[in-house]
Amino acid sequence: MTDNKQAALELGQKPVGQLLWQYALPAIVAMTASSLYNIIDRAMIGQIVGPEAIAGLGITFPFMNLSAAFGAAVGVGSSASISVKLGQKDYGVAQNLLGNTVTLNLIIGFSFMVLSLLFLDPILRFFGASDATLPYAREFMIVILLGNVVTHMYFGSNAVLRAAGKPRHAMYATLFTVGMNILLVIAFVWWFRWGIRGAALATVTSQTMALCWQIWIFSDKKELLHLKKGIYKLKANLVRNIIAIGISPFLMNATSCVIVIFMNNQFVRYGGDMAVGAYSIANSVVMMFFMFVMGVCQGMQPIVGYNYGAEKFDRMFRCLFIAIGCATGILMVGWALSMLFPREIARIFTSDATLIDLSARGIKLDMLVFFVVGSQAVITHFFQSIGKVKVSIFLSLSRQLFLLLPMAYVFPLLWDLDGVWYSMPASDFGSFAMTIPMLIWYMKKLKVYDGQPCNH
């Protein structure tokens, strides 16, 4: 117990740069591994099962985003709350937050499963499934939904591990899940020829195995946070706190679901199926680099939350600015590569000449102001980590709902297909322009001058 308390206390004592590296690196490694798995998974399904299967899998992405939205509401909300309570050395409430996290994941995961299975076909049709792709999408989602409780528990437990000062354990869980997933996909899809259902079964099985290991960790009474009797009964004030913080990532994921559906329809309308393919490729390039930024954000969260709870605001802001610098540097590399080698990047995904042309132009337009996105993401996660819910929600929704959606509707009326592409960098810059004043306002509110913050 003493060692675990010391690990938590280090969040308020170790040099901030060293801490951020310690916490962000495992998250970056885990997210990179997840990206690699997604590429291998799609390639296996496309090569072995066929193009209709890969199209059916694409239909399920908004569904998966929606499920992730509910999972993020609990996982992010609870981990941020736990970080703050550990900073305040309120270990009893942190323990109860762990128990309430388990209960909420069980309730929400089961409810989402039941409702989704009852209305599965109409939902998939709404997301764009055709007669050809519906059977594949349905086959995949039935297995995924049956394992939905496991998925929620797995991601929620990983978030709590990071908050409890165990970022490497969270990384090990993710790496194990990814590695086992790849092995099982090869076995189920290639060897046993179970098709797209095999890919779904591989996902659920690997997450179940990782969850068993996480439960084993949290069952150890020597851990600062551990599973025990009396912590699972929902407490209204704790639930409100978890949901209040978690509503921001929930809305962000839910909005992403809406945006993907809308953008696909716009690209089909103004450029046809090939334009949708180009958007998919450009989006893959964006996410490849953005995963690194998300790793930085995840690494920052427990450090910021702890030091906010401990009222060590100088360390809190130092962590924020280092994270902004790291994220901006990462995306500058992505921006430079995309501006210099868009055609070479497109060729990684396709050999079709027309699609390469469309994708190369799309990559350059989509990532035109990519270097400003990192600071916007980090600052949004900063407000989320310290429980500033309204600000976090506004910043989360600013790019997609308030800017991208109307721009993606209006711009094509003026510039046709290019207008759809223009809407993305325009919304990126607009969101960045809203985020910086918010941060300056909050720093002034805390009376931060020359890096010397004062107490509330």
Side-chain angles (χ1 to χ4, degrees):
M1 179 74 77
T2 302
D3 291 341
N4 285 286
K5 282 189 178 180
Q6 184 58 38
L9 289 172
E10 285 180 349
L11 292 168
Q13 297 170 351
K14 266 191 178 181
V16 171
Q18 184 180 339
L19 274 173
L20 185 60
W21 175 256
Q22 176 184 332
Y23 276 75
L25 183 61
I28 290 171
V29 170
M31 289 203 156
T32 303
S34 296
S35 297
L36 178 63
Y37 161 69
N38 287 329
I39 292 170
I40 294 173
D41 194 29
R42 293 173 196 179
M44 290 286 290
I45 292 172
Q47 293 292 334
I48 296 174
V49 186
E52 292 85 2
I54 208 74
L57 186 64
I59 296 300
T60 68
F61 289 159
F63 217 144
M64 303 285 276
N65 280 343
L66 194 57
S67 176
F70 285 98
V74 177
V76 175
S78 61
S79 62
S81 299
I82 287 171
S83 293
V84 172
K85 290 303 175 184
L86 289 177
Q88 295 170 344
K89 298 180 176 58
D90 194 345
Y91 302 122
V93 173
Q95 187 76 19
N96 280 303
L97 280 164
L98 170 63
N100 277 223
T101 300
V102 172
T103 305
L104 281 174
N105 274 318
L106 288 172
I107 293 171
I108 295 174
F110 183 78
S111 300
F112 186 87
M113 176 193 74
V114 172
L115 290 173
S116 298
L117 286 173
L118 285 174
F119 304 101
L120 185 57
D121 280 13
I123 293 172
L124 291 172
R125 289 284 189 186
F126 176 74
F127 289 162
S130 65
D131 291 339
T133 59
L134 181 63
Y136 293 103
R138 184 199 300 121
E139 192 175 5
F140 183 81
M141 283 310 303
I142 285 175
V143 177
I144 292 294
L145 287 170
L146 288 173
N148 192 62
V149 172
V150 170
T151 300
H152 280 222
M153 290 290 291
Y154 161 70
F155 283 114
S157 298
N158 242 22
V160 173
L161 280 173
R162 284 192 296 272
K166 294 182 175 293
R168 288 189 176 274
H169 288 73
M171 178 186 73
Y172 296 150
T174 303
L175 290 177
F176 171 82
T177 305
V178 170
M180 184 56 63
N181 218 328
I182 291 172
L183 291 175
L184 292 177
V185 163
I186 293 171
F188 295 166
V189 179
W190 181 72
W191 184 260
F192 294 119
R193 300 285 167 164
W194 288 350
I196 197 169
R197 181 184 299 170
L201 188 60
T203 298
V204 173
T205 303
S206 60
Q207 289 177 349
T208 302
M209 295 170 72
L211 177 61
C212 290
W213 181 65
Q214 292 168 332
I215 292 173
W216 179 76
I217 293 175
F218 284 118
S219 298
D220 186 352
K221 293 182 180 179
K222 294 179 181 178
E223 295 293 336
L224 179 59
L225 297 179
H226 59 272
L227 301 173
K228 64 178 184 179
K229 291 181 180 179
I231 64 173
Y232 305 105
K233 184 178 180 180
L234 294 180
K235 296 186 176 181
N237 60 323
L238 298 185
V239 173
R240 277 197 301 269
N241 203 37
I242 291 172
I243 299 303
I245 297 173
I247 195 69
S248 174
F250 169 81
L251 291 174
M252 190 161 52
N253 280 278
T255 303
S256 294
C257 173
V258 174
I259 291 296
V260 169
I261 296 170
F262 180 77
M263 293 299 285
N264 278 336
N265 286 328
Q266 288 295 85
F267 276 109
V268 167
R269 181 176 302 149
Y270 291 98
D273 291 336
M274 294 292 273
V276 176
Y279 172 57
S280 178
I281 290 172
N283 209 31
S284 297
V285 176
V286 168
M287 291 309 299
M288 183 170 60
F289 289 102
F290 196 68
M291 281 295 184
F292 288 91
V293 174
M294 293 307 295
V296 173
C297 291
Q298 286 190 7
M300 174 190 72
Q301 182 267 316
I303 305 168
V304 165
Y306 183 97
N307 285 284
Y308 176 76
E311 295 192 353
K312 296 182 178 182
F313 301 126
D314 56 333
R315 290 175 58 81
M316 178 183 75
F317 281 111
R318 197 179 310 138
C319 181
L320 169 66
F321 292 128
I322 293 173
I324 289 174
C326 292
T328 302
I330 291 166
L331 296 193
M332 278 294 294
V333 173
W335 173 81
L337 291 173
S338 299
M339 295 301 109
L340 293 172
F341 310 109
R343 295 184 65 81
E344 288 75 10
I345 293 173
R347 286 194 184 98
I348 296 172
F349 297 89
T350 182
S351 58
D352 185 276
T354 303
L355 188 53
I356 288 173
D357 290 339
L358 284 170
S359 300
R361 179 166 177 76
I363 289 169
K364 291 186 73 171
L365 291 176
D366 192 359
M367 302 181 73
L368 195 61
V369 295
F370 195 46
F371 46 86
V372 306
V373 174
S375 57
Q376 196 274 346
V378 170
I379 293 169
T380 299
H381 277 79
F382 166 75
F383 283 114
Q384 179 179 293
S385 299
I386 62 174
K388 300 300 177 185
V389 180
K390 293 180 181 179
V391 177
S392 178
I393 290 174
F394 174 77
L395 295 178
S396 296
L397 298 181
S398 63
R399 178 189 180 267
Q400 295 187 344
L401 196 61
F402 304 147
L403 296 174
L404 181 57
L405 201 63
M407 286 177 177
Y409 178 78
V410 174
F411 284 12
L413 301 176
L414 304 173
W415 298 294
D416 202 59
L417 178 60
D418 279 353
V420 188
W421 290 112
Y422 293 154
S423 66
M424 289 182 277
S427 61
D428 285 339
F429 190 79
S431 183
F432 167 76
M434 287 190 226
T435 302
I436 298 303
M438 285 286 188
L439 178 61
I440 294 171
W441 162 79
Y442 184 68
M443 291 178 68
K444 287 182 176 178
K445 184 179 178 183
L446 278 185
K447 298 181 181 177
V448 180
Y449 297 107
D450 300 321
Q452 299 294 326
C454 301
N455 290 348
H456 289 289

